[in-house]
Amino acid sequence: MSAGKPSSRTGKIAVAITGASGALYAVKTVAELLARGVHVELVVSDYGRRLLRDELGDDASLEKLLPYLAAKYGDSVNAGAMTVHSNRDLGATIASGSHNCSAMAIVPCSMKTLAGIAHGLSRNLVERAADVMLKEQRRLVIVPRETPMSLPALKNMVLCAEAGAMIVPAMPAFYQQPKSLDDLADFMAGKILSALGFEHDLYPAWTGQVGS
Ligand SMILES: Cc1cc2nc3c(=O)[nH]c(=O)nc-3n(C[C@H](O)[C@H](O)[C@H](O)COP(=O)(O)O)c2cc1C
């Protein structure tokens, strides 16, 4: 099946953070969306909450996320809006196809959540909102992270891709000569923004030569 349509550049976009390594990719992605005036509808799994704290510190805990983003990325994040949904609330706006949420990114996506989406389980809001994107043929960007990958995980990625999702693995490149972890996060956030239909300059366009 064809991939879902890219989103318009403004409006509402769902972002899910689950319990796979790579919280820095998530916060950079959310900050970039906010800076573009997007209304981010955020849902964080229990292990996603843990990953935010474990990898980025207590200041990045869900309750303090907006001030954390402003401190790290600047006041530009105030251009957008953020609504935080409970992962247990299957009655939240993004659980329905009638809600005008144009796209969703799951960053990072655990193998457990990937499995739930691949098999249409809708056990929580992350899985349900992803299922809504697939059934409505809207853009769903899944950023899986695990290594090595089991055969079930590989097959689950194929199932999601066949259903219309874009699989954007958390695999930063090195040809842009990153100097910091933030440079690596910029690369992944740029890939995610591109998949969501946004322009960006988070990494230099390939010119045919490294470092030019
Ligand atoms: C520190 C830490 C790192 C983890 N990293 C990964 C990972 O990279 N990929 C993955 O699939 N699961 C990872 N897990 C396991 C998931 O968090 C676990 O399977 C969890 O049940 C996922 O639930 P969720 O998808 O609802 O967040 C990690 C767990 C912890 C505590």
Side-chain angles (χ1 to χ4, degrees), residues 16 18 43 87 90 104 106 110-134 140:
T18 70
V43 52
N87 199 24
L90 292 169
M104 178 177 188
I106 305 175
S110 76
M111 298 304 100
K112 176 193 146 197
T113 292
L114 173 74
I117 298 166
H119 297 277
L121 299 185
S122 290
R123 292 169 296 191
N124 52 46
L125 186 59
V126 177
E127 292 179 5
R128 170 62 189 168
D131 202 43
V132 166
M133 292 294 135
L134 294 180
L140 173 63

Side-chain angles (χ1 to χ4, degrees), residues 29-93:
T29 301
V30 170
E32 288 292 327
L33 289 172
L34 291 173
R36 285 165 173 75
V38 168
H39 181 164
V40 174
E41 302 214 43
L42 184 68
V43 52
V44 185
S45 71
D46 288 347
Y47 274 86
R49 283 173 175 260
R50 176 172 167 173
L51 260 289
L52 281 172
R53 291 192 309 268
D54 284 357
E55 295 191 342
L56 301 176
D58 277 345
D59 285 349
S61 64
L62 185 55
E63 295 70 25
K64 303 181 203 162
L65 194 57
L66 261 184
Y68 173 85
L69 295 176
K72 184 168 174 60
Y73 300 114
D75 288 340
S76 60
V77 300
N78 295 320
M82 190 163 85
T83 302
V84 178
H85 299 290
S86 164
N87 199 24
R88 290 172 181 76
D89 184 8
L90 292 169
T93 49

